[in-house]
Structures are given as C-alpha cells and as structure tokens.
Amino acid sequence: MRLRALLETDALGLRLLGGEHELDRSVRGVMTTDLRDPSRYLTGGELVLTGLAWRRDAADSEPFVRILAGARVAGLAAGEAELGEIPGDLIEACERHRLPIFAVDETVAFATITEYVVRQVSGERAGDLAAVVDRHRRLMTSGPAGGGPEVVLDLLGSDLDLHAWVLSPTGRQIAGAGAPLPGQVGATLAGHHLAATRTGRRGPHRATVDGVTYSLFPIRNTGRGAAPASRDVRESVLSDWLLAVEADASDWPAARLDLLQGVTQLIAVERDRRDAARTVRRRLAQEVLELVQTGAAPAEIAARLRVAAPVLLPGMGTAPHWQVVVARVEWGAEGAPGGQVTSGIAGGPVAQALLEEILVDPAVTGPDSADRIAVAHTGDEAVALVPLPARAAPSADGGDLAEADGTAGATTAKEDPALHADALLAAVRAPLSAGLADDGRLTLGVSAAVHSPEGLRGALEEARHARRVAAARPGRVCAAGHHELASHVLLLPFVPDDVRRAFTARLLDPLRDYDRRHRAELIPTLEAFLDCDGSWTRCAARLHLHVNTLRYRVGRIEQLTGRDLSRLEDKLDFFLALRMS
C-alpha cells in the first residue's frame, strides 16, 4: 500500500507535516520505536511510529532521521501525546533527507495504525502471492548460476513483456535481452540514475530519453563480497550497476515491484561472483605495485610479471608493453581543483572500481571484457597496470592487433593500441559528472608505454605527474597524458633511484637535520621561495613573515648548503631536489 492511502484514511488521525512529493512510497510494514538508533530492526519500507521519547534536545533529530533515511523506511509518524506539537527541528531534518513525516493525533493509539497497516499489507500480498511465488521460483531456477543475467532478462521479456538491460555506472551495457541499448541512451540513463541517487531519492527512478520512458532500479552488491551497508551514498554510487526497464513503474502494483527487486538481487549475486573472480587480478596488481613503489630490482618485478602473465595476458602469448594509469576520486565540501577534501571517504576503493570500468572499451558489452585489466589501490589513488601487445597477436575477433615498435606509445600500424587520456573519458564524462555532483572530482593520468620492467617505476611516476596536471584543470572529470607534461617533469621519473637519493640528500639533508633540531621550517621556506619565483615580498606575505625574517632563513639555507639562491643554476637544483624527494 502507499503512504497516500494512509493519509486519506481519517480513522488513523495522520496529518502530513512534510514530504508531499514522496507519498507514492510503498509501505511494507510498521514499527514502533523510541530507540535513538533503531537501524538493527529496520529492513526498509516501514512506517516508523515514535512517541519521541528518544529526543532530549534539537541536536538529536538529525542523527535519528539520518538513520531512518539510510535504512530506507517509507515514512515517520510522530505522536503528539508526549510533546504536543511536533518539534520544528525534526520536521526540518525530515525535509533535508526527503523523508515524509506525519503527526499522529493524541487521540489515536499507535496500535490502531499498526493493526490497519498490517491488515492492508497482508491482504494485498495474499492477493498476488501465488503469482509472485511462481515467478520468483522461475527466476531462481533460471538465474545467474544457470546462465547469467541474460536468462533473467529473457524471462522478464517472456513473462511480463518487459524489455530490460543491466548497465554499468557509466551506461555501458553489461547484459540485455533482445536489441542492445544504444550507447548514448545508456550513458544518459546512467547519468539520470546517478543524479537521482546523489539527491537521496529512492529507486526506481523514472527517466525519459527520446520519448521513451524507462524505470531505473539500483543493483546493490549484497553478496559475500559486499561491504557493510554504507552510511554515505558516495561510497558506492560510482560502482553500483543498475537495471533499466523500458516501462513506467510509478503505477505498478506492489507485487510487480517486489518481483523487480528480486531480479536486482539475483543480478547482485552475479555481480558478486564476477567481482570475486576479479580479486585475483587485483591481488596481482597490488603485488606488482608494491614492488615498483619500494624500488625492487627489475629482475624481481619481471619475475612477478611472468607469474602473473597467465592471468593478466590470457591468450596473448607475448611479452607486452605496459602502460600505467593513475586515478584519484576526491570528495569534499568544495570539490574545486586544489580544494580541501573534507569528507573522510576513502577514495582508493572508489577509484579502483571506476578505473576498472573506464578502462573497458565502451563499445564492448558484457561483464567479462576487463579480463586484462589489473587495478590496485593505495591510499586515495588507484593504479592500473595495462598490458599492450608488443608485436602482432590474434585478437578476439580473429584479426591482428597493431604491432608496436620500441618507442613509448608509438605503433607501426594504423590502429594504435595505446591508451589516450582524452579517449578514455570521452564516453563516460557525462554520467560520471552526474554521480560526482557538486562535491566530487575524478582526475586521471596516463603514462607512456614502456617495454620492460625497468620502466615501470618511471611510468608510475609519470602517470602520477600527469594526474596532477589534470587536477589543476577545471571540471569534475579531467585527464592528462604523458605528452602534456613539461620537460623536467617528463625526465624526473626516469632518473635512477641511487642518483635521486644522492642528489636530494646532498642538497636537502642539511636542511632537514637543521629543521629537526631547531624547528626552523627551512624546507617549507625554500619551497615557498621557489614557488614565488624568488620574490621576497610575495614569499614573505605567503608565509606571514617579515621580509627580514625571510632573508635570515634564506641566508641560513645558503650557509648550510653552500649554494646561492640568487643564481638560476642553484635555484634549479633545489627545485629538482624537492620534486624528486
């Protein structure tokens, strides 16, 4: 039954205080509580009744409502017997979380509302119970274990005459029955779904594209590999699949909505199975990344890659070139380039899932097309190790892949197999921008191709430099490639580690030792001085120092290092040392 039906029943004594646009929500049960955190007893779809005994002051309303919204209850009904009027702070919190709120007249017992809801919901379920059970049985016996999502979607078409597609968060078709969904339509639907999810609206979401109406159902990973229920939608919004159905579900009966929810759960199980298969590639990528970052010997990295080859290079049979792609997802109140990230959301896993999706050719359908993509994450960034064919090798369709020569990213064939930053984001920029909304950014950097393990350290740092270039640009989704790097940035990653360490130690260790002993902040002063192009006035203003104090610090730097910061050569040496440290 719908919330609207409860409001229209005079005997229940309900008065709407907020959420008039959410009255078509389905009520699947009722629960009475005065706990401050009733989340463990909520399964979604309940009308929550409360006498407000949990509320001590205005600050209690926001966390209570946030818990209810996170549990996806249908609405909140607060009794007037305890406090008289319902507090305004509770109504405002419900408005922020798009949760319908009702006042219950003090003359109406909660038991009356509970009995009415239970009777109505039970009656509606009983009416279609046989049909629902039969359809669920057919879905379960024909589900993912018996042939993948396509079997379930075929059953929807034959049993309910519904055309449906499973889409990735970028709109790429993963599964479908019948004619494929056009790529641009899929991207548009994904954008609608992500935007609606970010506003906190409950699914299914309604979208119209080219005059055709679709209903979009979220597919949340709830299987063995699922993370605990997230309190923040941003932790999963960019990785969840969706089910797009060519129909308007706004007037569907509850039984049909329940059936479609069952379909999404079946597909979620399939998603979990495929994610579990991907963990092997992720683990191999993590091992290689750790070896590269810790400066392991090239022979050790090469040995690790040889072990990983059967998984990362199925069917290639050749020693590949490699490219490194680095991605970072940042959430914050500002979200602008260089803005302070304040959300506390771990960006690494989000960037990892996104990078695995972005690196799939958008023209390729199916969930297994990323079987040569290995993505690890460290801290707030994700790192992909992408193999490219080093010489002609048979492709999946029986043709030949381009043959690469020994130069970074160059090929001798018309088709270039190397990754290009702009091309990676061309098909996914619009939907991802909708999911990032006003407080998220995705930045991505792509290295040149390298043909040996010795080059992976340089390729990783090159990709990271390119990502920083992308981060300096405006926009929610930005990328940069190796060809966009300045000359010194391009050269730095390929300086041997022992040369780096000796060079930076000679110049910076005396300053670090002095800072440790005296807390003099010579290193931050040097960085600011170079960043201000040697301008005494601008540097002093940035550091909030008197110019004489700045001159004293620079003099101490020159004394400790034997360098002269008025000379271009010495400025350049310090600049490079700071970049390589």
Side-chain angles (χ1 to χ4, degrees):
M1 66 178 304
R2 307 287 182 180
L3 282 175
R4 190 181 305 280
L6 294 177
L7 186 63
E8 294 170 352
T9 305
D10 295 336
L12 300 182
L14 296 177
R15 189 172 74 258
L16 182 66
L17 301 179
E20 60 181 345
H21 299 299
E22 304 290 334
L23 291 179
D24 287 325
R25 294 187 180 188
S26 295
V27 180
R28 301 182 182 180
V30 63
M31 187 189 112
T32 300
T33 184
D34 275 312
L35 295 174
R36 296 168 65 84
D37 182 0
S39 58
R40 74 188 70 177
Y41 305 111
L42 297 171
T43 59
E46 296 93 347
L47 174 67
V48 175
L49 305 175
T50 180
L52 301 178
W54 50 266
R55 184 184 180 278
R56 291 175 297 188
D57 54 46
D60 292 335
S61 294
E62 170 64 25
F64 181 76
V65 173
R66 185 170 62 246
I67 289 169
L68 298 187
R72 299 181 178 276
V73 304
L76 173 66
E80 295 180 321
E82 181 75 18
L83 300 178
E85 289 188 355
I86 306 303
D89 50 85
L90 179 60
I91 298 173
E92 291 171 2
C94 288
E95 289 177 349
R96 282 194 296 273
H97 291 276
R98 304 175 66 93
L99 181 67
I101 179 171
F102 305 88
V104 182
D105 190 274
E106 61 182 350
T107 62
V108 178
F110 283 175
T112 301
I113 299 174
T114 300
E115 181 182 354
Y116 180 85
V117 171
V118 170
R119 186 169 60 249
Q120 293 297 317
V121 171
S122 299
E124 291 180 2
R125 286 178 177 170
D128 289 321
L129 184 58
V132 171
V133 168
D134 178 63
R135 287 184 177 122
H136 272 284
R137 183 184 298 113
R138 293 174 62 193
L139 287 171
M140 291 302 294
T141 56
S142 304
E150 289 83 359
V151 176
V152 179
L153 302 184
D154 282 335
L155 184 56
L156 284 180
S158 62
D159 196 43
L160 297 178
D161 196 26
L162 291 176
H163 301 291
W165 301 265
V166 178
L167 304 178
S168 77
T170 65
R172 182 176 61 87
Q173 181 174 318
I174 293 169
L181 197 66
Q184 186 55 49
V185 174
T188 303
L189 291 177
H192 277 292
H193 171 74
L194 291 171
T197 303
R198 286 302 314 275
T199 62
R201 288 164 48 198
R202 294 162 59 96
H205 309 304
R206 184 176 179 274
T208 301
V209 181
D210 297 334
V212 180
T213 299
Y214 300 87
S215 294
L216 311 175
F217 294 80
I219 299 173
R220 295 185 175 87
N221 190 355
T222 57
R224 295 182 307 249
S230 171
R231 294 286 187 187
D232 195 318
V233 69
R234 294 175 294 182
E235 294 181 8
S236 61
V237 66
L238 296 177
S239 58
D240 285 341
W241 289 356
L242 66 138
L243 176 67
V245 181
E246 189 179 322
D248 186 350
S250 60
D251 58 351
W252 281 4
R256 179 168 286 202
L257 287 173
D258 284 343
L259 180 63
L260 265 293
Q261 294 297 338
V263 169
T264 64
Q265 291 168 12
L266 287 172
I267 297 174
V269 172
E270 174 71 358
R271 168 71 185 271
D272 181 57
R273 185 184 71 81
R274 299 183 192 259
D275 281 351
R278 184 174 287 179
T279 57
V280 175
R281 293 193 297 276
R282 286 179 171 179
R283 186 172 65 249
L284 291 173
Q286 199 76 39
E287 292 173 358
V288 174
L289 176 62
E290 289 173 1
L291 289 175
V292 171
Q293 290 192 131
T294 55
E300 185 178 358
I301 298 174
R304 180 69 262 181
L305 288 174
R306 282 194 296 273
V307 172
V311 176
L312 298 183
L313 311 171
M316 290 184 79
T318 59
H321 287 180
W322 300 93
Q323 275 185 282
V324 175
V325 183
V326 171
R328 189 180 183 96
V329 174
E330 296 172 320
W331 302 102
E334 299 298 329
Q340 180 65 33
V341 177
T342 59
S343 68
I345 298 173
V350 179
Q352 182 182 42
L354 260 187
L355 202 48
E356 287 172 337
E357 171 61 26
I358 290 171
L359 291 174
V360 178
D361 184 344
V364 176
T365 61
D368 290 328
S369 53
D371 61 354
R372 290 176 184 166
I373 298 169
V375 185
H377 72 82
T378 174
D380 285 332
E381 74 175 10
V383 180
L385 189 64
V386 183
L388 302 172
R391 62 179 186 270
S395 65
D397 60 3
D400 288 335
L401 293 173
E403 180 174 309
D405 65 18
T407 61
T411 62
T412 59
K414 290 183 179 180
E415 182 183 355
D416 183 357
L419 301 174
H420 298 276
D422 290 337
L424 284 176
L425 296 182
V428 302
R429 182 174 273 109
L432 291 184
S433 295
L436 292 164
D438 295 328
D439 57 352
R441 287 200 87 210
L442 166 66
T443 51
L444 184 145
V446 181
S447 78
V450 295
H451 62 277
S452 66
E454 289 87 347
L456 284 178
R457 174 69 180 271
L460 173 61
E461 297 200 25
E462 187 178 70
R464 283 174 169 162
H465 283 308
R467 193 208 62 79
R468 294 188 192 103
V469 171
R473 296 172 174 169
R476 291 289 160 201
V477 181
C478 299
H482 62 93
H483 58 283
E484 301 178 66
L485 302 181
S487 58
H488 72 274
V489 177
L490 181 62
L491 292 174
L492 285 182
F494 299 99
V495 176
D497 288 343
D498 55 346
V499 176
R500 285 166 171 267
R501 287 191 290 268
F503 183 73
T504 57
R506 187 166 59 250
L507 278 176
L508 300 182
D509 279 3
L511 306 182
R512 290 173 177 145
D513 292 341
Y514 192 87
D515 280 349
R516 251 191 319 269
R517 293 196 309 270
H518 303 284
R519 298 182 181 179
E521 298 187 357
L522 295 185
I523 292 288
T525 301
L526 176 61
E527 291 174 334
F529 185 72
L530 295 176
D531 195 40
C532 292
D533 300 323
S535 169
W536 297 98
T537 305
R538 283 194 290 126
C539 184
R542 174 181 293 192
L543 296 174
H544 305 290
L545 298 175
H546 191 277
V547 172
N548 288 341
T549 304
L550 176 61
R551 291 185 183 277
Y552 171 80
R553 288 188 182 180
V554 171
R556 178 65 67 182
I557 291 170
E558 293 175 334
Q559 179 186 6
L560 291 169
T561 61
R563 299 298 186 105
D564 182 355
L565 277 168
S566 65
R567 298 178 67 246
L568 176 61
E569 293 87 347
D570 288 343
K571 285 180 182 177
L572 181 58
D573 282 349
F574 277 122
F575 174 79
L576 294 174
L578 289 169
R579 283 298 183 96
M580 289 191 292
S581 64

